[in-house]
Amino acid sequence: MADKHASQGGIFIRLENDKDKIVGAFCGDPYPREVIWTGDGYEPYDEDNPAHKGKRPALKVAINFFVPGDGMKIYEGGTRWFQDLLKVRDKYGLDNWTFEIERKGAKGDTKTKYNLLPEDKIDAALRAEIDAAELHDLAGMMNDGSDSAPSTVSEADVEAFASVLRQMPRSAVEYFLAELGVQRIRDVRAGDADRARELLRELKVKHAPAPSDEVDPFA
């Protein structure tokens, strides 16, 4: 299960802070791609794109990663991490073990590393869960021109959405999250911001307090 400090709730695994970690099983073939940093995120490298001329592409490798209790996710790492993955594959194999990935480095630290160590052997019950899980289409998901983790709404939007939802019953909050396919407000995708606002307008009307019939004696 993901460490309590690791970001959860979406398909992509994010280890954002020092010592964040997650344990799971690698599944299927890795998907390598060359990307270019645009200043706002990564996009697939295109040698025919004039904006990419003179820039050195970086290697990113994505792979399906089954997290017990949380289902099939996607983990993506860089060249150094992929080299470590090949080493543990050659030494242990990837089919019979779960592995722990741990971040070593604070948020924003350019020298951040990711340790990769075997955790436990996969037993029959876990193997059955893994075999029943569907692999994500890495080629389709990673080549949509966006960063490896889809951008989410701003902190200002998160607070604005939360301030409205705090005034509503839990059922309304659960409906809002389910409609947007997320588990937390901060995981709402930037592309769904307008849809989120529309949902809030609908919920405010639905859950508006009934008008009072009491007469104010001081009016």
Side-chain angles (χ1 to χ4, degrees):
M1 183 174 292
D3 182 272
K4 66 180 181 179
H5 298 297
S7 295
Q8 302 178 56
I11 293 174
F12 293 88
I13 295 169
R14 301 179 185 177
L15 303 179
E16 298 181 336
N17 301 298
D18 186 37
K19 297 183 180 180
D20 278 1
K21 64 182 69 172
I22 195 165
V23 173
F26 294 106
C27 303
D29 295 326
Y31 179 76
R33 62 182 183 136
E34 289 187 313
V35 296
I36 290 291
W37 176 252
T38 65
D40 297 317
Y42 287 103
E43 66 182 33
Y45 172 65
D46 181 359
E47 62 181 8
D48 296 323
N49 186 338
H52 293 179
K53 296 295 183 182
K55 294 184 178 180
R56 184 178 179 181
L59 177 69
K60 289 282 189 178
V61 182
I63 190 168
N64 281 282
F65 191 75
F66 184 85
V67 180
D70 208 15
M72 193 66 73
K73 305 292 182 180
I74 295 174
Y75 184 84
E76 186 178 45
T79 302
R80 183 183 299 172
W81 175 84
F82 185 54
Q83 290 171 343
D84 290 342
L85 179 64
L86 295 178
K87 289 178 182 177
V88 298
R89 182 199 65 180
D90 293 342
K91 185 171 183 178
Y92 301 97
L94 300 181
D95 295 333
N96 299 317
W97 288 83
T98 59
F99 291 86
E100 177 189 88
I101 307 171
E102 181 178 9
R103 178 180 177 126
K104 293 293 186 180
K107 192 171 186 177
D109 185 352
T110 58
K111 296 182 179 180
T112 292
K113 299 179 181 179
Y114 294 87
N115 288 349
L116 181 59
L117 294 171
E119 181 75 6
D120 293 307
K121 282 203 168 184
I122 297 174
D123 59 22
L126 180 55
R127 170 53 58 196
E129 290 184 48
I130 294 172
D131 290 344
E134 184 176 354
L135 297 178
H136 296 294
D137 176 12
L138 299 178
M141 297 187 70
M142 307 309 292
N143 286 322
D144 61 358
S146 64
D147 191 2
S148 57
S151 59
T152 53
V153 293
S154 67
E155 285 298 322
D157 281 334
V158 170
E159 183 53 38
F161 297 163
S163 66
V164 175
L165 290 168
R166 288 190 191 104
Q167 304 173 42
M168 297 185 183
R170 184 176 182 84
S171 60
V173 179
E174 292 175 346
Y175 173 80
F176 175 85
L177 297 176
E179 283 294 302
L180 295 170
V182 296
Q183 295 184 23
R184 303 182 305 173
I185 297 171
R186 66 177 56 259
D187 291 330
V188 173
R189 292 171 289 275
D192 289 337
D194 288 340
R195 171 59 177 155
R197 296 185 184 97
E198 179 182 351
L199 283 170
L200 288 178
R201 287 193 291 269
E202 294 174 3
L203 289 170
K204 286 173 72 174
V205 171
K206 182 177 180 180
H207 295 281
S212 174
D213 293 331
E214 291 185 9
V215 176
D216 184 354
F218 300 102

